[in-house]
Amino acid sequence: MSWEENVRRVEPYVAGEQPKIQDVIKLNTNECPYPPSPKMKEVLEKMDYGKLRLYPDMDAKKLVDVLADYYHVKPEQVFVGVGSDDVLAMAFMTFFNGDRQILFPDITYSFYDVWAQLFRIPYKVCALDGDFCIKKEDYLTPNGGIVIPNPNAPTGVLEDVDFFEEIIAANPDSVVIVDEAYVDFGGVSTIPLICKYDNLLVVQTFSKSRAMAGARIGFAIGDEKLIRYLKDVKFSYNSYTMNTPVIEMGAAAVLDDAYFKEIVGKIVKTREWTKEQLKRLGFSFADSKANFLFVSHKKASAKDIFLALKANNIYVRHWDKKRISNYLRISIGTDEQMEKLVSFLEDYLK
């Protein structure tokens, strides 16, 4: 018997390419094109580096308290982790342990099926309709749990709070996770619903709208009982996941609300300009409310455009997958970056 027979085999998540060369226009991983709050630099400059010999606060109390105040909830309703991927993985491990299948869309964040396979969770993907919208009735059937991003990724399609409330209310015996990684770019959060439903867990991240992908901060807000169960699993797995500088920087970023709203406003404005330009060039797409567009051209192949852009050091995202092989996901960069993208596409499409 070989030791390999005991290996847990999964098909891993594939992240967007991280170019090794300089001077590229990187529009393939939905990162913020602007730097994080300058308050973070102040925190680092004032930090007592001698404290790094000590373990960090396993409860990340400073960050939790700031988040609780910002979102008008109790600290006992907040859970933090190393990026929303860490938070979501903990939630899968904690809440999806029944025999029934969990449900999520067929076109969505491609980590969901990876976690389901890794943790041996039965799952079913629910097909989006022809306009890439979620079909609510698919989530009104018996299940072992539900996870849906809002806005969805990679489509950018946003559903309203009432849409989710119907799903949450219809599934009192299942935990419903709403993954709001992109909600700050044009959506309304479902966080207020946690006061009405103890089966709702809302997950957000600092990676996109707070420009802190490199710091790795994610959080969940939900009923106190849900959060207690999450903490039990986390502290049984790895208690010290967030380091001291990140806890301090995260708290500072939340407190700098003016800067947060400024950069989000810039991205939204640039997104709307880019929509107009791409429509003019013959692209079609859903009305994205995220920091990216999911586009297809009526004549040109998405793969050919992807390769041509890459050859000219402009990186976007392409998946060679069923239903979406002729689409590109384009992150919103600075005005200058998007102008260069549009200029290249104008020449290419001639």
Side-chain angles (χ1 to χ4, degrees), residues 46-55 244:
K46 295 176 182 177
M47 184 169 291
D48 177 3
Y49 291 98
K51 288 185 177 180
L52 294 182
R53 67 184 181 83
L54 304 172
Y55 284 111
T244 299

Side-chain angles (χ1 to χ4, degrees), residues 236-346:
S236 301
Y237 185 77
N238 186 350
S239 299
Y240 301 105
T241 55
M242 298 195 74
N243 63 68
T244 299
V246 164
I247 293 170
E248 295 285 340
M249 288 190 294
V254 176
L255 292 172
D256 194 358
D257 197 43
Y259 183 81
F260 161 68
K261 289 175 178 173
E262 177 188 347
I263 62 171
V264 168
K266 286 181 179 179
I267 292 167
V268 169
K269 184 177 179 181
T270 305
R271 179 190 69 199
E272 297 307 304
W273 178 86
T274 305
K275 286 179 183 178
E276 294 176 2
Q277 302 308 310
L278 294 184
K279 284 179 182 176
R280 176 176 60 82
L281 294 176
F283 287 91
S284 59
F285 44 87
D287 186 23
S288 173
K289 295 299 182 182
N291 68 335
F292 57 83
L293 300 176
F294 193 55
V295 308
S296 178
H297 197 271
K298 57 187 177 184
K299 294 181 180 179
S301 156
K303 187 172 184 179
D304 289 345
I305 297 173
F306 166 77
L307 293 173
L309 285 166
K310 185 176 179 179
N312 286 269
N313 292 333
I314 302 175
Y315 284 68
V316 298
R317 193 82 193 265
H318 175 257
W319 289 271
D320 191 14
K321 291 183 176 182
K322 185 178 179 180
R323 296 189 71 190
I324 62 172
S325 61
N326 202 39
Y327 284 80
L328 299 172
R329 191 193 68 191
I330 304 173
S331 304
I332 301 301
T334 63
D335 287 346
E336 181 183 9
Q337 289 173 328
M338 303 316 288
E339 286 165 3
K340 288 181 179 179
L341 169 77
V342 169
S343 177
F344 174 85
L345 290 173
E346 284 177 331

Side-chain angles (χ1 to χ4, degrees), residues 34 44 48 88-89 111 137 143 156 169 172 210 226 229 241 259 280 312 320 329:
Y34 302 105
L44 290 175
D48 177 3
L88 286 162
F111 230 139
E137 59 271 19
N143 62 78
R210 295 192 185 276
L226 288 182
Y229 282 129
T241 55
Y259 183 81
R280 176 176 60 82
N312 286 269
D320 191 14
R329 191 193 68 191

Side-chain angles (χ1 to χ4, degrees), residues 57-126:
D57 173 13
M58 60 190 289
D59 291 307
K61 187 177 186 304
K62 185 169 185 176
L63 177 57
V64 165
D65 287 349
V66 167
L67 286 168
D69 184 64
Y70 188 85
Y71 290 100
H72 308 294
V73 297
K74 295 185 289 187
E76 293 79 12
Q77 294 174 299
V78 180
F79 176 89
V80 295
V82 185
S84 60
D85 288 341
D86 179 45
V87 175
L88 286 162
M90 289 290 171
F92 271 59
M93 202 186 310
T94 303
F95 301 119
F96 298 157
N97 290 287
D99 297 327
R100 287 180 171 174
Q101 295 173 321
I102 66 168
L103 308 176
F104 48 83
D106 66 331
I107 300 172
T108 194
Y109 186 32
S110 52
F111 230 139
Y112 297 156
D113 59 342
V114 173
W115 288 320
Q117 293 172 42
L118 180 63
F119 301 135
R120 296 175 180 173
I121 300 166
Y123 70 95
K124 175 185 177 182
V125 294
C126 303

Side-chain angles (χ1 to χ4, degrees), residues 176-189:
V176 178
I177 300 174
V178 182
D179 182 356
E180 295 184 344
Y182 302 99
V183 76
D184 293 325
F185 298 104
V188 176
S189 177

